Amino acid sequence: MLFNLVFSNISSAQITDPIPEKIEKSQISVGIQEVVQIPKSVITPSQEKIARLNMLANTGDGSGRLFVNDMRGKLYVINNNRASVYMDLQRLLSLGFNDKSTQQGFSYFAFHPEFRQNGIFYTVHSEDRNSSIPDFPVRKTIINRAGKIIESSHQDVVIEWKTTNPAANTFSGTFREILRIEQPYPDHNIGQLGFNPNAKPRDVDYGMLYIATADGGSDGFPVSNTDPLDNGQDLSTPLGKILRINPFGRNSANGKYGIPKDNPFARDNNRKTLGEIWAYGLRNPHRFSWDTGGEGKMLIVDIGQALIEEINLGRKGANYGWGNREGTWVIDEKNENVLFPLPQDDAKYGYTYPVAQYDHDKPADWQGSYAVAIAGGYVYRGKAIPELVGQYIFADFAHDGRFFHVPVDELVNGKQAKIKELRLFDGQKEVSFLEIIGSRRSDVRFGVDEEGEIYVTSKSDGKVRKIVRSPYSKF
């Protein structure tokens, strides 16, 4: 209905350069300091590959330990700048583990806020499509590149682990399955797992597990279509959403977790609407985090299709617009390369728009293929870099590789905050992150320690690095 109204005059309304302003270089700079090299993944006895680092986190137990995962199956603990295997998830789960594509494998993990006492943490990984009966099966027709109907790609599984000794640096304990989601395509799977670090024991949000789920992807088919299965706006599927569950509850359909009664759709009269949904209309919410200072804002990044990368404020019940919107524009569901202005009556649709965004402008000196994808980070609340306090730090993990910052206080619904490029120094030399890792793709991810200091990892070289103060900040 909306498209009939907006597209009546496509030729005059189409936008070719949605954000003509270029991102300026910042006065703020930081250094990048190597911490540890994670061992290579052993694929076969005769083959090794760089570890596919995807997540770095602390336990919040006062130990100062950091944990980082290799998507090929291992979780490492970092103590005194040395890494050792904490757990081999692939070996423990054995049957069905699937890391066949770049977006499959052991993807994310999160420690329960009471890990020090209860030893509980959560992981998400991929399994073969026939491993078990999914709690959320795909109920739509899946088409491959040849235009033929195919079966689903795989299943994503959330596991609860309970270690017998939370202080130990090697896992020993038990696990149980929480939920299992069938994925139509290999790309755009379950994203980050996380707990609100600002919630206190008696708060309604304390111990509630947030799960970011992408829209199920398309594996490149149809090439130009946006959200081909229309999952973003469909409240009967968990795909394209932020889910919120109580892992200790039991009122879910499978009886393995709880649906919090304060979730926005927990009491919806439509039986098809999932009570687990906390927010929806997302394409690929790769990362989310909470500011541990200020107003405690929740920040959700959403990877764009062909044109726009987004930073959104997390809001209960929000509809972020995918696949009717990309950034603050209307999209053509049949052509990913086309954007249109918002209609005059846009407010009636109730979409929540990004508070900061950037587009896919290709550098003039770039040769070959080029892709852009936002890598969500954290609001800096450490002590080592005073000029960075209150800045949301993020980057681009595809072929752009730039680091950015934006003041968290300027991230306000209804406005667009100004993004600046963070200057990076390797010793006394200003460099790009791509130069630091020696690659044309950054595959950068962010993590944070108990002191609020920010770390970066890269799948390109399997190293963990720390953001440190640079003497070249002009402040």
Side-chain angles (χ1 to χ4, degrees):
M1 184 174 179
L2 170 62
F3 287 95
N4 291 334
L5 292 173
V6 177
F7 292 170
S8 59
N9 191 10
I10 288 181
S11 61
S12 63
Q14 183 174 334
I15 297 173
T16 55
D17 187 6
I19 307 177
E21 300 84 8
K22 306 303 179 186
I23 296 176
E24 299 176 4
K25 280 246 184 174
S26 175
Q27 297 269 321
I28 300 176
S29 66
V30 297
I32 302 290
Q33 183 180 87
E34 186 173 327
V35 175
V36 66
Q37 170 79 62
I38 301 301
K40 291 182 178 180
S41 308
V42 177
I43 309 302
T44 68
S46 61
Q47 184 184 17
E48 296 179 333
K49 290 187 176 181
I50 299 295
R52 296 171 57 205
L53 305 185
N54 200 53
M55 181 86 188
L56 184 144
N58 69 83
T59 60
D61 62 358
S63 68
R65 294 177 297 173
L66 294 173
F67 287 75
V68 63
N69 69 312
D70 177 352
M71 290 185 71
R72 295 191 179 95
K74 291 181 180 178
L75 181 63
Y76 289 86
V77 58
I78 301 173
N79 254 322
N80 298 318
N81 297 346
R82 292 187 177 184
S84 60
V85 176
Y86 177 76
M87 178 178 74
D88 189 337
L89 181 145
Q90 181 179 12
R91 181 182 62 80
L92 292 172
L93 296 175
S94 184
L95 297 176
F97 183 84
N98 181 330
D99 64 344
K100 295 171 184 171
S101 81
T102 58
Q103 297 185 43
Q104 295 170 327
F106 169 25
S107 301
Y108 296 91
F109 61 95
F111 293 95
H112 189 274
E114 295 180 2
F115 174 77
R116 183 175 183 176
Q117 292 79 33
N118 63 25
I120 291 175
F121 63 100
Y122 298 86
T123 63
V124 59
H125 71 279
S126 307
E127 291 189 6
D128 295 335
R129 62 180 177 81
N130 292 323
S131 294
S132 187
I133 298 174
D135 300 302
F136 300 98
V138 174
R139 302 188 186 279
K140 297 175 182 179
T141 302
I142 310 168
I143 307 295
N144 70 4
R145 293 170 186 260
K148 295 182 179 180
I149 296 174
I150 60 172
E151 295 180 302
S152 63
S153 166
H154 65 282
Q155 298 174 0
D156 280 349
V157 188
V158 178
I159 298 286
E160 178 184 272
W161 304 82
K162 184 175 176 61
T163 178
T164 54
N165 181 3
N169 289 323
T170 303
F171 175 80
S172 173
T174 59
F175 67 89
R176 72 181 182 95
E177 184 174 311
I178 297 290
L179 61 85
R180 182 178 291 259
I181 298 176
E182 186 175 29
Q183 294 287 351
Y185 296 102
D187 54 340
H188 296 196
N189 307 316
I190 288 185
Q192 186 178 340
L193 310 174
F195 295 92
N196 181 354
N198 300 317
K200 305 303 179 186
R202 294 191 178 182
D203 295 345
V204 294
D205 211 25
Y206 186 74
M208 299 299 106
L209 180 63
Y210 287 76
I211 306 171
T213 62
D215 65 2
S218 66
D219 195 26
F221 180 87
V223 176
S224 62
N225 279 30
T226 59
D227 196 10
L229 299 182
D230 296 319
N231 288 323
Q233 297 297 311
D234 185 351
L235 294 177
S236 70
T237 174
L239 301 179
K241 314 294 190 297
I242 300 291
L243 310 178
R244 177 175 176 264
I245 66 171
N246 177 2
F248 295 170
R250 294 293 181 269
N251 68 332
S252 60
N254 69 3
K256 298 177 181 178
Y257 61 89
I259 299 175
K261 63 182 180 180
D262 62 323
N263 273 7
F265 304 105
R267 301 184 183 185
D268 195 289
N269 292 326
N270 187 338
R271 292 184 179 180
K272 293 183 178 180
T273 299
L274 300 181
E276 291 90 341
I277 296 172
W278 187 79
Y280 65 110
L282 293 157
R283 179 180 181 270
N284 193 355
H286 194 254
R287 289 297 172 90
F288 58 82
S289 65
W290 284 265
D291 180 10
T292 55
E295 299 176 12
K297 295 175 180 177
M298 181 186 187
L299 301 170
I300 305 167
V301 299
D302 198 14
I303 298 174
Q305 177 105 348
L307 295 164
I308 305 297
E309 304 300 308
E310 302 180 7
I311 301 173
N312 298 278
L313 289 182
R315 288 181 51 195
K316 174 180 176 181
N319 177 1
Y320 295 100
W322 183 255
N324 297 330
R325 300 287 188 272
E326 185 172 11
T328 51
W329 290 273
V330 175
I331 53 175
D332 183 345
E333 63 179 6
K334 299 300 181 183
N335 187 347
E336 65 178 9
N337 297 303
V338 174
L339 292 179
F340 297 88
L342 298 177
Q344 292 184 350
D345 61 350
D346 185 66
K348 75 179 184 182
Y349 298 102
Y351 295 121
T352 295
Y353 289 108
V355 290
Q357 56 190 342
Y358 65 97
D359 64 7
H360 291 196
D361 287 339
K362 183 177 180 180
D365 59 350
W366 188 270
Q367 301 296 320
S369 62
Y370 185 72
V372 182
I374 190 170
Y378 296 86
V379 177
Y380 182 78
R381 294 294 177 185
K383 296 180 179 178
I385 316 173
E387 63 267 32
L388 213 59
V389 172
Q391 298 287 333
Y392 178 62
I393 309 303
F394 63 105
D396 193 278
F397 73 78
H399 298 153
D400 189 304
R402 289 178 294 172
F403 280 41
F404 305 106
H405 71 92
V406 61
V408 67
D409 290 344
E410 295 180 13
L411 299 176
V412 179
N413 276 317
K415 298 182 179 180
Q416 290 298 313
K418 186 175 182 179
I419 297 169
K420 290 188 177 182
E421 182 180 351
L422 189 63
R423 295 164 59 227
L424 304 182
F425 277 81
D426 186 8
Q428 297 180 345
K429 181 183 178 182
E430 184 170 358
V431 294
S432 71
F433 190 66
L434 297 179
E435 290 175 308
I436 291 174
I437 63 176
S439 174
R440 286 174 68 87
R441 181 182 170 97
S442 76
D443 267 322
V444 65
R445 306 290 189 270
F446 290 92
V448 66
D449 66 16
E450 293 182 44
E451 304 301 319
E453 302 300 330
I454 295 177
Y455 293 72
V456 297
T457 67
S458 172
K459 292 180 184 177
S460 294
D461 65 2
K463 292 182 178 181
V464 175
R465 296 176 171 88
K466 185 178 183 180
I467 292 180
V468 297
R469 194 172 193 189
S470 161
Y472 301 99
S473 285
K474 299 176 182 178
F475 283 85

